[in-house]
Amino acid sequence: MTVRTILAIDGGNSKTDVAFVTEDGEVLARARAGGFTPQSSGVAAAIDVVGEAVRLALGPDAAPPYADLVSAYVAGADLPQEEEALAAEISRRGYGREVRVGNDTFSLLRAGASQGWGVAVVCGAGVNAAGIGPDGSIARLPSLGRISGDWGGGQHLGEEVLWHAIRAEDGRGEDTELVGVVLRQFDAERVEDVTVGLHLGYIPPSRLHELVPPLFAVSAAGDPVARAIVDRMADEVCALGTAMLKRLDLLGTPAEVVLGGGVLTARDPGLTAAVEARYAERAPHAKLVVVDAPPIAGAALLGLDHLGAPPGADSRLRAAFG
């Protein structure tokens, strides 16, 4: 009998991972390409990046269909119409005989939850949350940025560091060690030089993410401005999770809250302790789980679920992803 295959896709703002997996959980090939950004670069350009990753995994002569099932769980699939547009483009190119597209919060939940349900909170470049109840009910957020109430993640944290640093430098704000953080990170004489560089395009906005690790270090050293930013991030991580728990009627029930994304999986002690304290107060029945499997594993596991994979496939795939 022919073994069916899955093309698993994890598309994030900074990278696109693909993995070719058999229905019994064997990982045949993996590769990584650039960022998956359909909302800024367009759907076709985003799928072009997937095609690049596929060719890196299979070789330049690989031709579609690549797999029986495409299991894509990606950033930028925040609304049903966005999921449909991405699925339609993948289908048009013939990447797989069947295509399933969803938001990457669901692959995080699948990778980290022990029972197939619970809540996932992502804090990477941005933030998002979603949940699945024991009865299969779903709660999710649009996650469209500030216009949909979002705050946090590497981009916002970097912007906050710069905001406080420039105000401290020019006298509008409170003194803070974040001024030194910005100067050292960008090898600049003044914070204003960095803001002008960003404005004129000499400095790419993506570099603001570089300010996140030193933000946590300065916060741990006691800088009150830095600590206030980290505390706000902890508030948001808790607000995201508790909102999903409440909508799924799980606040009074033991339930897992899977935490993922680069900001949370870095396990900064100060942020981790602040997040744990807030959940203990606002959602005491929640069990926090910091995911230790890569997001691509969640996309592959969801593909196995859809194909009705045989016993042992789940554990075989998890072992392959470390």
Side-chain angles (χ1 to χ4, degrees), residues 145-196:
R146 190 171 180 83
I147 60 172
S148 62
D150 307 334
W151 185 92
Q155 189 68 23
H156 277 156
L157 291 174
E159 290 172 357
E160 286 293 305
V161 170
L162 188 59
W163 190 88
H164 284 284
I166 188 65
R167 290 172 65 87
E169 181 178 82
D170 65 25
R172 288 177 292 171
E174 184 179 347
D175 288 342
T176 172
E177 293 297 320
L178 295 176
V179 172
V181 164
V182 174
L183 298 182
R184 289 188 295 272
Q185 199 64 39
F186 290 92
D187 192 23
E189 294 184 0
R190 298 182 305 162
V191 177
E192 184 177 331
D193 296 337
V194 178
T195 64
V196 171

Side-chain angles (χ1 to χ4, degrees), residues 55 136 209 230-231 290 293 298:
R55 288 187 291 275
H209 290 260
V230 174
D231 283 345
V290 180

Side-chain angles (χ1 to χ4, degrees), residues 69-81:
L69 170 67
V70 176
S71 180
Y73 288 83
V74 296
D78 297 305
L79 303 173
Q81 52 266 47

Side-chain angles (χ1 to χ4, degrees), residues 190-265:
R190 298 182 305 162
V191 177
E192 184 177 331
D193 296 337
V194 178
T195 64
V196 171
L198 287 162
H199 175 71
L200 296 178
Y202 303 144
I203 299 173
S206 60
R207 286 201 62 194
L208 289 173
H209 290 260
E210 298 173 16
L211 298 173
V212 177
L215 161 67
F216 289 132
V218 169
S219 172
D223 183 87
V225 175
R227 180 161 300 174
I229 298 173
V230 174
D231 283 345
R232 183 179 179 190
M233 188 69 263
D235 286 336
E236 287 295 316
V237 172
C238 185
L240 287 160
T242 54
M244 297 299 98
L245 290 168
K246 183 176 182 180
R247 286 167 59 175
L248 293 169
D249 197 25
L250 293 175
L251 270 177
T253 303
E256 291 173 320
V257 176
V258 180
L259 305 178
V263 173
L264 293 175
T265 57

Side-chain angles (χ1 to χ4, degrees), residues 43-152:
V43 169
I47 303 306
D48 285 343
V49 177
V50 173
E52 178 186 348
V54 168
R55 288 187 291 275
L56 289 171
L58 299 182
D61 297 328
Y66 301 119
D68 294 286
L69 170 67
V70 176
S71 180
Y73 288 83
V74 296
D78 297 305
L79 303 173
Q81 52 266 47
E82 292 172 332
E83 294 175 345
E84 292 166 6
L86 290 164
E89 182 66 16
I90 294 171
S91 296
R92 185 186 70 79
R93 300 190 189 199
Y95 282 10
R97 295 179 177 85
E98 185 178 2
V99 176
R100 294 175 65 85
V101 174
N103 187 266
D104 55 357
T105 50
F106 292 102
S107 59
L108 168 63
L109 180 60
R110 180 63 179 86
S114 63
Q115 302 182 69
W117 59 271
V119 166
V121 177
V122 178
C123 185
V127 295
N128 199 0
I132 300 175
D135 60 354
S137 57
I138 292 175
R140 61 187 297 183
L141 297 170
S143 190
L144 303 176
R146 190 171 180 83
I147 60 172
S148 62
D150 307 334
W151 185 92

